[in-house]
Amino acid sequence: MHQRPASMPISRHWFAWLPRNGRARATLRSGRGILWAATIAGALSGCSAIEPIVGEAPNLPASYAREVATGPRRDLKGWWRQFHDPVLDRLVAQAGRQNLSIAQAKARLAAGRSQAGTAQSLFLPTVGGSGQALAGNSREEIVDPLRRPLLAGFDTSWDAGLFGLSESTEKAAAASRAIAGDELEAVRIAVTAEVAAAYIGLRSAQHQRELSTALVAAQERRVRLARGRAKAGMTSPGEDIDSVTSLGEAQVDLARLDARAAALRQQIATLLGVVTPDPALDRAAPQPVSPGTPAAGRPADLLRARPDVRAAEQRVLKAAAEVGIAKADLHPKLRLSGTIGLGGPSIGSPFGLAGGPSLQIPLFDYGRREAAVYARRALLDEALAAYRQTVLTAYQEAAGALANWRAAHEATERQASAIETERRATRRMGVLHREGLADAGKLADVEVGLILARRRLAAAKEVEGLSLVVLFKALGAAVPVSQGEARG
């Protein structure tokens, strides 16, 4: 196996000093050293080790199945406002300010922006101060300038980012910053969807609780009527068992719905970053009405809309930049350094300056650098495969969510039609009862049937609303960001 070289530093220094008469002079050799270093830095800085990226997103269909309109989709920012529920609007806004998962993602973005902002400074000159005091009992004159009794001054250095090292480092930092921004948007979308889903579930539970209360009252009337008929000898004993069982089930549903509503209120409180649920959520309110048919747009829109797809793309760019960093490590490194101060570095003067270039050339390292390049290229292949998989998963989720919403919407329409049938039957039975052509037991039966149909409709509306939330999330429905936060 061919072995890559290890690092062997080759240094060349130039010196200059200020004599006591204040006149500066420098050797001819020092000028040549500076020119030599500058020439190398200028020539090698144009050499790039950026890794080319060969890859593309999977071919997606032109439209979703059963999608009639294939034009661009509507802006989905603020999609929850389509439910026309001011309480939901307020909860989403509050979650955007207080949710702790969003706060964590914001902190990661701030860290990524800070690191990206300083990436280029790694290859800019740096200046630092230093001082040293030595004491001893020797009376011999100190010749070594670094061992003088008092040293103080400024040190400067510059690592030239040659062979694409500077460019690759900057690109990797920029990709990390973009990934953090996409992850923040993904968290916002997820939190908004969770708040909307919990709120839709809460209003459904409260509405079904009201219907269950009416159902318990209707079932109690059925039990009383059945027992009255049995007492009057009109029916045989035990025929009220079904009515009693239905009453017990309705009473159990009341407790179950109360527990579910309490759990959803607490879930919303957690999403808002607080402990105590909002008292306004204790009062029942109408279920959020699902808006009209959403415009899903083209599947290709997912490549730009979904933050997880954009983050996967940025991970590919970051992996390619890291390959460039590893490839740059195969080539020599140039460092310029210097110092100016009191007490050294000149022997003939208490004040002077010194500096020069240092060239580090890799000669032999048992293939460690080449192995690092190979490993980074393998990680680039992984990032490319992950990007393609993310695109396919995004399309699968969007297409599945759209199909589920259609099915839920059709189920809601069927339940709404069934409600009308039950209402007409209840009105007819009421007329017959008033005319003495139907007993109270049959009227109670159709009233129970109407209440059960209304509960099924409430459950169907909840499923449709939740499926719409999932659809908006799958389409990459972004959450608006304030201008100040966008600027960072």
Side-chain angles (χ1 to χ4, degrees), residues 278-314:
D278 189 343
L281 299 178
D282 294 338
R283 298 183 296 272
Q287 285 184 263
V289 179
S290 175
T293 303
R298 303 180 181 91
D301 294 338
L302 299 173
L303 301 180
R304 296 269 60 88
R306 296 243 322 196
D308 56 339
V309 174
R310 297 200 306 270
E313 181 183 6
Q314 291 297 327

PDB file of all heavy atoms in Angstrom, residues 278-314:
ATOM      1  N   ASP A 278     -54.362  26.418  30.075  1.00  0.00           N
ATOM      2  CA  ASP A 278     -55.092  27.671  29.906  1.00  0.00           C
ATOM      3  C   ASP A 278     -56.538  27.472  30.370  1.00  0.00           C
ATOM      4  O   ASP A 278     -57.234  26.584  29.881  1.00  0.00           O
ATOM      5  CB  ASP A 278     -55.059  28.077  28.435  1.00  0.00           C
ATOM      6  CG  ASP A 278     -55.599  29.482  28.213  1.00  0.00           C
ATOM      7  OD1 ASP A 278     -56.289  30.005  29.110  1.00  0.00           O
ATOM      8  OD2 ASP A 278     -55.337  30.054  27.143  1.00  0.00           O
ATOM      9  N   PRO A 279     -57.033  28.288  31.334  1.00  0.00           N
ATOM     10  CA  PRO A 279     -58.427  28.134  31.795  1.00  0.00           C
ATOM     11  C   PRO A 279     -59.441  28.310  30.671  1.00  0.00           C
ATOM     12  O   PRO A 279     -60.552  27.770  30.754  1.00  0.00           O
ATOM     13  CB  PRO A 279     -58.574  29.238  32.855  1.00  0.00           C
ATOM     14  CG  PRO A 279     -57.175  29.533  33.300  1.00  0.00           C
ATOM     15  CD  PRO A 279     -56.316  29.321  32.102  1.00  0.00           C
ATOM     16  N   ALA A 280     -59.096  29.060  29.629  1.00  0.00           N
ATOM     17  CA  ALA A 280     -60.040  29.256  28.528  1.00  0.00           C
ATOM     18  C   ALA A 280     -60.348  27.954  27.804  1.00  0.00           C
ATOM     19  O   ALA A 280     -61.399  27.830  27.156  1.00  0.00           O
ATOM     20  CB  ALA A 280     -59.489  30.277  27.534  1.00  0.00           C
ATOM     21  N   LEU A 281     -59.451  26.968  27.926  1.00  0.00           N
ATOM     22  CA  LEU A 281     -59.680  25.690  27.265  1.00  0.00           C
ATOM     23  C   LEU A 281     -60.633  24.796  28.043  1.00  0.00           C
ATOM     24  O   LEU A 281     -61.033  23.744  27.528  1.00  0.00           O
ATOM     25  CB  LEU A 281     -58.347  24.964  27.057  1.00  0.00           C
ATOM     26  CG  LEU A 281     -57.323  25.685  26.172  1.00  0.00           C
ATOM     27  CD1 LEU A 281     -56.040  24.882  26.078  1.00  0.00           C
ATOM     28  CD2 LEU A 281     -57.894  25.950  24.782  1.00  0.00           C
ATOM     29  N   ASP A 282     -60.985  25.187  29.270  1.00  0.00           N
ATOM     30  CA  ASP A 282     -61.942  24.380  30.039  1.00  0.00           C
ATOM     31  C   ASP A 282     -63.357  24.506  29.484  1.00  0.00           C
ATOM     32  O   ASP A 282     -64.163  23.583  29.638  1.00  0.00           O
ATOM     33  CB  ASP A 282     -61.924  24.812  31.512  1.00  0.00           C
ATOM     34  CG  ASP A 282     -60.584  24.501  32.173  1.00  0.00           C
ATOM     35  OD1 ASP A 282     -59.865  23.624  31.657  1.00  0.00           O
ATOM     36  OD2 ASP A 282     -60.263  25.143  33.193  1.00  0.00           O
ATOM     37  N   ARG A 283     -63.625  25.649  28.868  1.00  0.00           N
ATOM     38  CA  ARG A 283     -64.959  25.876  28.325  1.00  0.00           C
ATOM     39  C   ARG A 283     -65.063  25.276  26.925  1.00  0.00           C
ATOM     40  O   ARG A 283     -64.175  25.463  26.091  1.00  0.00           O
ATOM     41  CB  ARG A 283     -65.266  27.379  28.276  1.00  0.00           C
ATOM     42  CG  ARG A 283     -65.261  28.049  29.641  1.00  0.00           C
ATOM     43  CD  ARG A 283     -65.647  29.500  29.538  1.00  0.00           C
ATOM     44  NE  ARG A 283     -64.671  30.268  28.748  1.00  0.00           N
ATOM     45  CZ  ARG A 283     -63.587  30.835  29.261  1.00  0.00           C
ATOM     46  NH1 ARG A 283     -63.331  30.726  30.564  1.00  0.00           N
ATOM     47  NH2 ARG A 283     -62.768  31.511  28.498  1.00  0.00           N
ATOM     48  N   ALA A 284     -66.144  24.582  26.684  1.00  0.00           N
ATOM     49  CA  ALA A 284     -66.345  23.962  25.375  1.00  0.00           C
ATOM     50  C   ALA A 284     -66.559  25.027  24.309  1.00  0.00           C
ATOM     51  O   ALA A 284     -67.090  26.108  24.579  1.00  0.00           O
ATOM     52  CB  ALA A 284     -67.534  23.013  25.421  1.00  0.00           C
ATOM     53  N   ALA A 285     -66.111  24.708  23.104  1.00  0.00           N
ATOM     54  CA  ALA A 285     -66.262  25.609  21.962  1.00  0.00           C
ATOM     55  C   ALA A 285     -66.506  24.763  20.719  1.00  0.00           C
ATOM     56  O   ALA A 285     -66.233  23.560  20.714  1.00  0.00           O
ATOM     57  CB  ALA A 285     -65.012  26.480  21.800  1.00  0.00           C
ATOM     58  N   PRO A 286     -67.027  25.359  19.667  1.00  0.00           N
ATOM     59  CA  PRO A 286     -67.294  24.584  18.453  1.00  0.00           C
ATOM     60  C   PRO A 286     -66.015  23.944  17.899  1.00  0.00           C
ATOM     61  O   PRO A 286     -64.912  24.473  18.064  1.00  0.00           O
ATOM     62  CB  PRO A 286     -67.865  25.632  17.487  1.00  0.00           C
ATOM     63  CG  PRO A 286     -68.394  26.717  18.359  1.00  0.00           C
ATOM     64  CD  PRO A 286     -67.503  26.755  19.551  1.00  0.00           C
ATOM     65  N   GLN A 287     -66.191  22.826  17.235  1.00  0.00           N
ATOM     66  CA  GLN A 287     -65.061  22.174  16.588  1.00  0.00           C
ATOM     67  C   GLN A 287     -64.537  23.040  15.448  1.00  0.00           C
ATOM     68  O   GLN A 287     -65.309  23.658  14.715  1.00  0.00           O
ATOM     69  CB  GLN A 287     -65.486  20.814  16.015  1.00  0.00           C
ATOM     70  CG  GLN A 287     -65.672  19.726  17.048  1.00  0.00           C
ATOM     71  CD  GLN A 287     -65.996  18.394  16.390  1.00  0.00           C
ATOM     72  OE1 GLN A 287     -67.155  18.020  16.280  1.00  0.00           O
ATOM     73  NE2 GLN A 287     -64.948  17.689  15.951  1.00  0.00           N
ATOM     74  N   PRO A 288     -63.202  23.113  15.290  1.00  0.00           N
ATOM     75  CA  PRO A 288     -62.658  23.841  14.132  1.00  0.00           C
ATOM     76  C   PRO A 288     -63.143  23.201  12.831  1.00  0.00           C
ATOM     77  O   PRO A 288     -63.106  21.979  12.669  1.00  0.00           O
ATOM     78  CB  PRO A 288     -61.141  23.684  14.298  1.00  0.00           C
ATOM     79  CG  PRO A 288     -60.940  23.396  15.746  1.00  0.00           C
ATOM     80  CD  PRO A 288     -62.147  22.614  16.174  1.00  0.00           C
ATOM     81  N   VAL A 289     -63.614  24.040  11.929  1.00  0.00           N
ATOM     82  CA  VAL A 289     -64.162  23.554  10.662  1.00  0.00           C
ATOM     83  C   VAL A 289     -63.026  23.427   9.656  1.00  0.00           C
ATOM     84  O   VAL A 289     -62.243  24.366   9.452  1.00  0.00           O
ATOM     85  CB  VAL A 289     -65.242  24.507  10.131  1.00  0.00           C
ATOM     86  CG1 VAL A 289     -65.787  24.005   8.796  1.00  0.00           C
ATOM     87  CG2 VAL A 289     -66.360  24.633  11.152  1.00  0.00           C
ATOM     88  N   SER A 290     -62.926  22.266   9.037  1.00  0.00           N
ATOM     89  CA  SER A 290     -61.899  22.047   8.032  1.00  0.00           C
ATOM     90  C   SER A 290     -62.138  22.933   6.825  1.00  0.00           C
ATOM     91  O   SER A 290     -63.270  23.044   6.353  1.00  0.00           O
ATOM     92  CB  SER A 290     -61.896  20.573   7.607  1.00  0.00           C
ATOM     93  OG  SER A 290     -60.971  20.363   6.553  1.00  0.00           O
ATOM     94  N   PRO A 291     -61.103  23.619   6.322  1.00  0.00           N
ATOM     95  CA  PRO A 291     -61.287  24.476   5.149  1.00  0.00           C
ATOM     96  C   PRO A 291     -61.539  23.645   3.897  1.00  0.00           C
ATOM     97  O   PRO A 291     -61.655  22.420   3.950  1.00  0.00           O
ATOM     98  CB  PRO A 291     -59.963  25.239   5.062  1.00  0.00           C
ATOM     99  CG  PRO A 291     -58.971  24.345   5.726  1.00  0.00           C
ATOM    100  CD  PRO A 291     -59.715  23.617   6.811  1.00  0.00           C
ATOM    101  N   GLY A 292     -61.587  24.324   2.766  1.00  0.00           N
ATOM    102  CA  GLY A 292     -61.829  23.644   1.503  1.00  0.00           C
ATOM    103  C   GLY A 292     -60.658  22.762   1.098  1.00  0.00           C
ATOM    104  O   GLY A 292     -59.683  22.572   1.841  1.00  0.00           O
ATOM    105  N   THR A 293     -60.745  22.247  -0.108  1.00  0.00           N
ATOM    106  CA  THR A 293     -59.729  21.327  -0.610  1.00  0.00           C
ATOM    107  C   THR A 293     -58.372  22.017  -0.664  1.00  0.00           C
ATOM    108  O   THR A 293     -58.230  23.074  -1.299  1.00  0.00           O
ATOM    109  CB  THR A 293     -60.108  20.834  -2.008  1.00  0.00           C
ATOM    110  OG1 THR A 293     -61.393  20.214  -1.953  1.00  0.00           O
ATOM    111  CG2 THR A 293     -59.088  19.841  -2.530  1.00  0.00           C
ATOM    112  N   PRO A 294     -57.357  21.488   0.001  1.00  0.00           N
ATOM    113  CA  PRO A 294     -56.031  22.118  -0.030  1.00  0.00           C
ATOM    114  C   PRO A 294     -55.364  21.930  -1.386  1.00  0.00           C
ATOM    115  O   PRO A 294     -55.537  20.912  -2.044  1.00  0.00           O
ATOM    116  CB  PRO A 294     -55.263  21.371   1.075  1.00  0.00           C
ATOM    117  CG  PRO A 294     -55.915  20.032   1.138  1.00  0.00           C
ATOM    118  CD  PRO A 294     -57.377  20.259   0.817  1.00  0.00           C
ATOM    119  N   ALA A 295     -54.609  22.941  -1.816  1.00  0.00           N
ATOM    120  CA  ALA A 295     -53.850  22.852  -3.063  1.00  0.00           C
ATOM    121  C   ALA A 295     -52.479  22.278  -2.749  1.00  0.00           C
ATOM    122  O   ALA A 295     -51.621  22.960  -2.197  1.00  0.00           O
ATOM    123  CB  ALA A 295     -53.735  24.228  -3.712  1.00  0.00           C
ATOM    124  N   ALA A 296     -52.291  21.023  -3.079  1.00  0.00           N
ATOM    125  CA  ALA A 296     -51.035  20.355  -2.729  1.00  0.00           C
ATOM    126  C   ALA A 296     -49.895  20.751  -3.636  1.00  0.00           C
ATOM    127  O   ALA A 296     -48.727  20.588  -3.275  1.00  0.00           O
ATOM    128  CB  ALA A 296     -51.232  18.834  -2.785  1.00  0.00           C
ATOM    129  N   GLY A 297     -50.188  21.285  -4.837  1.00  0.00           N
ATOM    130  CA  GLY A 297     -49.135  21.665  -5.754  1.00  0.00           C
ATOM    131  C   GLY A 297     -48.483  20.461  -6.400  1.00  0.00           C
ATOM    132  O   GLY A 297     -49.070  19.387  -6.518  1.00  0.00           O
ATOM    133  N   ARG A 298     -47.246  20.628  -6.809  1.00  0.00           N
ATOM    134  CA  ARG A 298     -46.502  19.560  -7.466  1.00  0.00           C
ATOM    135  C   ARG A 298     -45.628  18.833  -6.456  1.00  0.00           C
ATOM    136  O   ARG A 298     -45.115  19.438  -5.518  1.00  0.00           O
ATOM    137  CB  ARG A 298     -45.625  20.122  -8.583  1.00  0.00           C
ATOM    138  CG  ARG A 298     -46.375  20.913  -9.648  1.00  0.00           C
ATOM    139  CD  ARG A 298     -45.416  21.415 -10.713  1.00  0.00           C
ATOM    140  NE  ARG A 298     -46.100  22.199 -11.733  1.00  0.00           N
ATOM    141  CZ  ARG A 298     -46.269  23.507 -11.682  1.00  0.00           C
ATOM    142  NH1 ARG A 298     -45.802  24.181 -10.628  1.00  0.00           N
ATOM    143  NH2 ARG A 298     -46.892  24.148 -12.641  1.00  0.00           N
ATOM    144  N   PRO A 299     -45.378  17.546  -6.664  1.00  0.00           N
ATOM    145  CA  PRO A 299     -44.441  16.834  -5.777  1.00  0.00           C
ATOM    146  C   PRO A 299     -43.054  17.454  -5.738  1.00  0.00           C
ATOM    147  O   PRO A 299     -42.368  17.404  -4.715  1.00  0.00           O
ATOM    148  CB  PRO A 299     -44.418  15.424  -6.372  1.00  0.00           C
ATOM    149  CG  PRO A 299     -45.742  15.266  -7.031  1.00  0.00           C
ATOM    150  CD  PRO A 299     -46.071  16.623  -7.586  1.00  0.00           C
ATOM    151  N   ALA A 300     -42.643  18.067  -6.860  1.00  0.00           N
ATOM    152  CA  ALA A 300     -41.318  18.688  -6.875  1.00  0.00           C
ATOM    153  C   ALA A 300     -41.217  19.850  -5.896  1.00  0.00           C
ATOM    154  O   ALA A 300     -40.107  20.232  -5.496  1.00  0.00           O
ATOM    155  CB  ALA A 300     -40.975  19.159  -8.287  1.00  0.00           C
ATOM    156  N   ASP A 301     -42.365  20.430  -5.495  1.00  0.00           N
ATOM    157  CA  ASP A 301     -42.328  21.519  -4.512  1.00  0.00           C
ATOM    158  C   ASP A 301     -41.738  21.065  -3.180  1.00  0.00           C
ATOM    159  O   ASP A 301     -41.246  21.886  -2.403  1.00  0.00           O
ATOM    160  CB  ASP A 301     -43.737  22.061  -4.274  1.00  0.00           C
ATOM    161  CG  ASP A 301     -44.316  22.730  -5.514  1.00  0.00           C
ATOM    162  OD1 ASP A 301     -43.517  23.136  -6.376  1.00  0.00           O
ATOM    163  OD2 ASP A 301     -45.542  22.817  -5.615  1.00  0.00           O
ATOM    164  N   LEU A 302     -41.813  19.761  -2.906  1.00  0.00           N
ATOM    165  CA  LEU A 302     -41.297  19.242  -1.633  1.00  0.00           C
ATOM    166  C   LEU A 302     -39.805  19.488  -1.492  1.00  0.00           C
ATOM    167  O   LEU A 302     -39.284  19.606  -0.381  1.00  0.00           O
ATOM    168  CB  LEU A 302     -41.582  17.742  -1.523  1.00  0.00           C
ATOM    169  CG  LEU A 302     -43.061  17.325  -1.538  1.00  0.00           C
ATOM    170  CD1 LEU A 302     -43.174  15.814  -1.604  1.00  0.00           C
ATOM    171  CD2 LEU A 302     -43.772  17.862  -0.310  1.00  0.00           C
ATOM    172  N   LEU A 303     -39.079  19.536  -2.627  1.00  0.00           N
ATOM    173  CA  LEU A 303     -37.628  19.693  -2.562  1.00  0.00           C
ATOM    174  C   LEU A 303     -37.241  21.017  -1.934  1.00  0.00           C
ATOM    175  O   LEU A 303     -36.177  21.130  -1.320  1.00  0.00           O
ATOM    176  CB  LEU A 303     -37.020  19.580  -3.967  1.00  0.00           C
ATOM    177  CG  LEU A 303     -37.283  18.267  -4.711  1.00  0.00           C
ATOM    178  CD1 LEU A 303     -36.617  18.295  -6.071  1.00  0.00           C
ATOM    179  CD2 LEU A 303     -36.788  17.087  -3.895  1.00  0.00           C
ATOM    180  N   ARG A 304     -38.090  22.031  -2.098  1.00  0.00           N
ATOM    181  CA  ARG A 304     -37.794  23.333  -1.517  1.00  0.00           C
ATOM    182  C   ARG A 304     -38.625  23.618  -0.274  1.00  0.00           C
ATOM    183  O   ARG A 304     -38.220  24.417   0.561  1.00  0.00           O
ATOM    184  CB  ARG A 304     -38.041  24.434  -2.551  1.00  0.00           C
ATOM    185  CG  ARG A 304     -37.129  24.343  -3.760  1.00  0.00           C
ATOM    186  CD  ARG A 304     -35.837  25.152  -3.595  1.00  0.00           C
ATOM    187  NE  ARG A 304     -35.006  24.739  -2.473  1.00  0.00           N
ATOM    188  CZ  ARG A 304     -34.080  23.800  -2.555  1.00  0.00           C
ATOM    189  NH1 ARG A 304     -33.889  23.150  -3.673  1.00  0.00           N
ATOM    190  NH2 ARG A 304     -33.346  23.492  -1.499  1.00  0.00           N
ATOM    191  N   ALA A 305     -39.786  22.989  -0.159  1.00  0.00           N
ATOM    192  CA  ALA A 305     -40.682  23.324   0.946  1.00  0.00           C
ATOM    193  C   ALA A 305     -40.330  22.575   2.225  1.00  0.00           C
ATOM    194  O   ALA A 305     -40.392  23.153   3.313  1.00  0.00           O
ATOM    195  CB  ALA A 305     -42.129  23.032   0.553  1.00  0.00           C
ATOM    196  N   ARG A 306     -39.954  21.308   2.108  1.00  0.00           N
ATOM    197  CA  ARG A 306     -39.736  20.508   3.317  1.00  0.00           C
ATOM    198  C   ARG A 306     -38.360  20.818   3.913  1.00  0.00           C
ATOM    199  O   ARG A 306     -37.327  20.683   3.253  1.00  0.00           O
ATOM    200  CB  ARG A 306     -39.822  19.024   2.995  1.00  0.00           C
ATOM    201  CG  ARG A 306     -41.181  18.579   2.518  1.00  0.00           C
ATOM    202  CD  ARG A 306     -41.853  17.607   3.399  1.00  0.00           C
ATOM    203  NE  ARG A 306     -41.089  16.602   4.037  1.00  0.00           N
ATOM    204  CZ  ARG A 306     -41.621  15.516   4.581  1.00  0.00           C
ATOM    205  NH1 ARG A 306     -42.932  15.320   4.509  1.00  0.00           N
ATOM    206  NH2 ARG A 306     -40.890  14.640   5.213  1.00  0.00           N
ATOM    207  N   PRO A 307     -38.317  21.225   5.179  1.00  0.00           N
ATOM    208  CA  PRO A 307     -37.013  21.543   5.782  1.00  0.00           C
ATOM    209  C   PRO A 307     -36.128  20.321   5.934  1.00  0.00           C
ATOM    210  O   PRO A 307     -34.894  20.458   5.898  1.00  0.00           O
ATOM    211  CB  PRO A 307     -37.382  22.141   7.141  1.00  0.00           C
ATOM    212  CG  PRO A 307     -38.771  21.652   7.416  1.00  0.00           C
ATOM    213  CD  PRO A 307     -39.437  21.507   6.085  1.00  0.00           C
ATOM    214  N   ASP A 308     -36.706  19.116   6.110  1.00  0.00           N
ATOM    215  CA  ASP A 308     -35.848  17.941   6.232  1.00  0.00           C
ATOM    216  C   ASP A 308     -35.160  17.625   4.908  1.00  0.00           C
ATOM    217  O   ASP A 308     -34.009  17.157   4.895  1.00  0.00           O
ATOM    218  CB  ASP A 308     -36.657  16.737   6.718  1.00  0.00           C
ATOM    219  CG  ASP A 308     -37.845  16.434   5.811  1.00  0.00           C
ATOM    220  OD1 ASP A 308     -38.274  17.339   5.073  1.00  0.00           O
ATOM    221  OD2 ASP A 308     -38.344  15.297   5.846  1.00  0.00           O
ATOM    222  N   VAL A 309     -35.823  17.898   3.772  1.00  0.00           N
ATOM    223  CA  VAL A 309     -35.184  17.690   2.468  1.00  0.00           C
ATOM    224  C   VAL A 309     -34.063  18.709   2.272  1.00  0.00           C
ATOM    225  O   VAL A 309     -32.967  18.367   1.802  1.00  0.00           O
ATOM    226  CB  VAL A 309     -36.225  17.788   1.341  1.00  0.00           C
ATOM    227  CG1 VAL A 309     -35.553  17.711  -0.024  1.00  0.00           C
ATOM    228  CG2 VAL A 309     -37.257  16.676   1.476  1.00  0.00           C
ATOM    229  N   ARG A 310     -34.332  19.961   2.629  1.00  0.00           N
ATOM    230  CA  ARG A 310     -33.282  20.983   2.495  1.00  0.00           C
ATOM    231  C   ARG A 310     -32.105  20.677   3.408  1.00  0.00           C
ATOM    232  O   ARG A 310     -30.940  20.870   3.025  1.00  0.00           O
ATOM    233  CB  ARG A 310     -33.859  22.358   2.816  1.00  0.00           C
ATOM    234  CG  ARG A 310     -34.956  22.810   1.858  1.00  0.00           C
ATOM    235  CD  ARG A 310     -35.133  24.327   1.928  1.00  0.00           C
ATOM    236  NE  ARG A 310     -35.367  24.776   3.290  1.00  0.00           N
ATOM    237  CZ  ARG A 310     -36.568  24.889   3.844  1.00  0.00           C
ATOM    238  NH1 ARG A 310     -37.648  24.558   3.154  1.00  0.00           N
ATOM    239  NH2 ARG A 310     -36.702  25.334   5.077  1.00  0.00           N
ATOM    240  N   ALA A 311     -32.388  20.210   4.615  1.00  0.00           N
ATOM    241  CA  ALA A 311     -31.299  19.856   5.535  1.00  0.00           C
ATOM    242  C   ALA A 311     -30.490  18.694   4.989  1.00  0.00           C
ATOM    243  O   ALA A 311     -29.251  18.680   5.108  1.00  0.00           O
ATOM    244  CB  ALA A 311     -31.871  19.514   6.914  1.00  0.00           C
ATOM    245  N   ALA A 312     -31.142  17.712   4.382  1.00  0.00           N
ATOM    246  CA  ALA A 312     -30.413  16.587   3.793  1.00  0.00           C
ATOM    247  C   ALA A 312     -29.523  17.061   2.654  1.00  0.00           C
ATOM    248  O   ALA A 312     -28.396  16.573   2.481  1.00  0.00           O
ATOM    249  CB  ALA A 312     -31.401  15.528   3.305  1.00  0.00           C
ATOM    250  N   GLU A 313     -30.015  18.023   1.881  1.00  0.00           N
ATOM    251  CA  GLU A 313     -29.191  18.581   0.805  1.00  0.00           C
ATOM    252  C   GLU A 313     -27.971  19.306   1.371  1.00  0.00           C
ATOM    253  O   GLU A 313     -26.852  19.185   0.848  1.00  0.00           O
ATOM    254  CB  GLU A 313     -30.039  19.537  -0.034  1.00  0.00           C
ATOM    255  CG  GLU A 313     -29.290  20.166  -1.191  1.00  0.00           C
ATOM    256  CD  GLU A 313     -30.144  21.160  -1.947  1.00  0.00           C
ATOM    257  OE1 GLU A 313     -31.268  21.438  -1.498  1.00  0.00           O
ATOM    258  OE2 GLU A 313     -29.682  21.651  -2.991  1.00  0.00           O
ATOM    259  N   GLN A 314     -28.177  20.060   2.443  1.00  0.00           N
ATOM    260  CA  GLN A 314     -27.051  20.761   3.060  1.00  0.00           C
ATOM    261  C   GLN A 314     -26.049  19.785   3.669  1.00  0.00           C
ATOM    262  O   GLN A 314     -24.850  20.063   3.693  1.00  0.00           O
ATOM    263  CB  GLN A 314     -27.574  21.726   4.129  1.00  0.00           C
ATOM    264  CG  GLN A 314     -28.339  22.914   3.573  1.00  0.00           C
ATOM    265  CD  GLN A 314     -27.476  23.801   2.699  1.00  0.00           C
ATOM    266  OE1 GLN A 314     -26.267  23.957   2.932  1.00  0.00           O
ATOM    267  NE2 GLN A 314     -28.086  24.390   1.679  1.00  0.00           N
TER     268      GLN A 314
END
